[in-house]
Structure formats: structure tokens, C-alpha cells
Amino acid sequence: FFSHRCSTMVELDLSALERVAQAKHSAAGQGQTKGIPRGHLLTIWVKLNRVPVKFCTSAILQCFATRKCAGRKVSRGIVRSLQKQGCACTAVPPTGQWDSAVVVETTPWWLSVSLAMSLAPFETAVMKGLTKKGLDCDLVVQWQDLPQDCSFSKGLPFWKFADTCSLCSAAFGMFRRRRHCVRCGASCCRDCVFVADGRHT
């Protein structure tokens, strides 16, 4: 069968973020690679609203395009683009309703500065790249803690931002901070976060 391979590269224009970082900081740190600030992982989650059949590598496979296959290709496209920007990142198996998940471990100095200020410009740049690729999708970029025994091959849980604790149903507010289970991503309060039931620790 005829093959019509198409590039899955998701072109990300992060030049605006670099200009902002250079304007706020001296150029002394240029060329250096920094770890993700705050001791967290930066995670990128994509949910496809429809399966993009053009991501299939063969015309005959378009009839059997699956969400899982398309999600893997989207992850690889984001990883390749971020690696060109100097980031160290990994595509991980998504969990729940998500079709694509990427973990960013290290970034160039200017991107670290931008991420420390706000995630919104980076999320906007990634969304523009996905839209330019013709993808109809939902996107979430967030910080997440990493379990000590986490294996990327098993997937990474998505952090849920519920208004109440998933265990005791207490409402979050000024005096009750929202915490997250690093194993399942559930929102929980301080009193419940240490419950060792195999799911919440």
C-alpha cells in the first residue's frame, strides 16, 4: 500500500518567552541548562476531541485510526519540538481521559525563568503549535510532584483540582490547602494526605 508519511513535529514558537526572560535577567546565565524549578515535574496533557487520521503513516490505516495511536504521535511531536529548544523531556503513557502526556525534566535558563513566573505563556505557545498542526484538542500544563518509586513506563497520574477532599469531602479554602496524591492524582486535605490505603500516601 502507498505510504504517505507526514511529519509529526509540533512547531513551538517560544521566542516571546525567551525575550521576556532576557529582559528581566542579565545574559550571564545563557547557555546553561537548569532543572525544573520548585522541585516539581512540568507535565503537558493533551486530550484529543477527534482522532487526526492524517497522523497515520499509511493510507489503509486511516480507516483504523485509533485515539491511542494518535496520542502517541502527538506526544512524540511535542517531545521532538521541545528537544530542539534544549529541553530534556519524555513521553509517558497517559492515564484517565488523556490521550497524550509529556514530562519535562530540564529546560534552558530562559525557559526556566519564564516558567517560574507563569505557565500561561508556555501553555499558549504549545496550544498554538497543536492548533497549527490541525489538532482539535484540550490542553493542560501543570506542575506535579514525582513519587519516589515512580516509573514512567507505568504512566503518570493527572493531578485533579477538585473543590473538596476526595476522602473526607471537606471544602478547600484559606485554612484548608489542597494537596495531591502523587500516586493517583486525587485532591486531598492535610488530614487525609497521609492515609496509607495503597492509593493515597
Side-chain angles (χ1 to χ4, degrees):
F1 297 99
F2 294 102
S3 175
H4 67 292
R5 295 182 181 275
C6 63
S7 172
T8 57
M9 174 75 75
V10 178
E11 295 294 340
L12 303 182
D13 183 8
L14 303 180
S15 57
L17 280 67
E18 185 173 5
R19 288 195 297 270
V20 170
Q22 290 176 342
K24 288 187 173 293
H25 293 264
S26 66
Q30 287 191 10
Q32 298 179 1
T33 300
K34 298 183 65 176
I36 292 296
R38 306 184 193 179
H40 296 328
L41 286 175
L42 181 68
T43 56
I44 304 171
W45 301 85
V46 180
K47 178 185 177 184
L48 300 173
N49 295 323
R50 60 181 178 83
V51 179
V53 294
K54 71 175 185 176
F55 268 47
C56 294
T57 57
S58 173
I60 192 63
L61 291 180
Q62 286 193 356
C63 299
F64 305 99
T66 64
R67 186 174 299 275
K68 185 176 181 180
C69 175
R72 285 198 300 264
K73 290 182 179 293
V74 171
S75 295
R76 288 199 294 267
I78 295 174
V79 167
R80 289 177 59 194
S81 183
L82 289 176
Q83 287 175 342
K84 286 183 62 178
Q85 302 282 350
C87 301
C89 47
T90 306
V92 299
T95 55
Q97 63 179 342
W98 302 97
D99 302 304
S100 176
V102 174
V103 172
V104 183
E105 300 174 78
T106 59
T107 64
W109 74 272
W110 53 268
L111 186 53
S112 293
V113 170
S114 177
L115 294 173
M117 291 187 291
S118 174
L119 292 179
F122 178 75
E123 185 172 1
T124 300
V126 175
M127 191 64 188
K128 285 183 178 179
L130 294 172
T131 303
K132 188 177 180 180
K133 196 66 179 176
L135 297 174
D136 178 14
C137 59
D138 296 326
L139 173 72
V140 172
V141 177
Q142 62 182 7
W143 298 109
Q144 292 189 216
D145 287 327
L146 180 68
Q148 293 182 352
D149 57 349
C150 175
S151 173
F152 286 157
S153 62
K154 298 179 181 179
L156 192 68
F158 176 78
W159 274 17
K160 307 173 184 66
F161 287 84
D163 295 328
T164 59
C165 176
S166 60
L167 293 180
C168 69
S169 300
F172 298 120
M174 183 181 299
F175 300 105
R176 189 183 299 272
R177 289 181 52 201
R178 180 189 295 106
R179 299 169 184 263
H180 291 92
C181 172
V182 295
R183 298 188 183 279
C184 72
S187 299
C188 28
C189 65
R190 181 178 182 180
D191 297 333
C192 298
V193 74
F194 296 109
V195 176
D197 61 356
R199 294 182 299 110
H200 301 269
T201 53

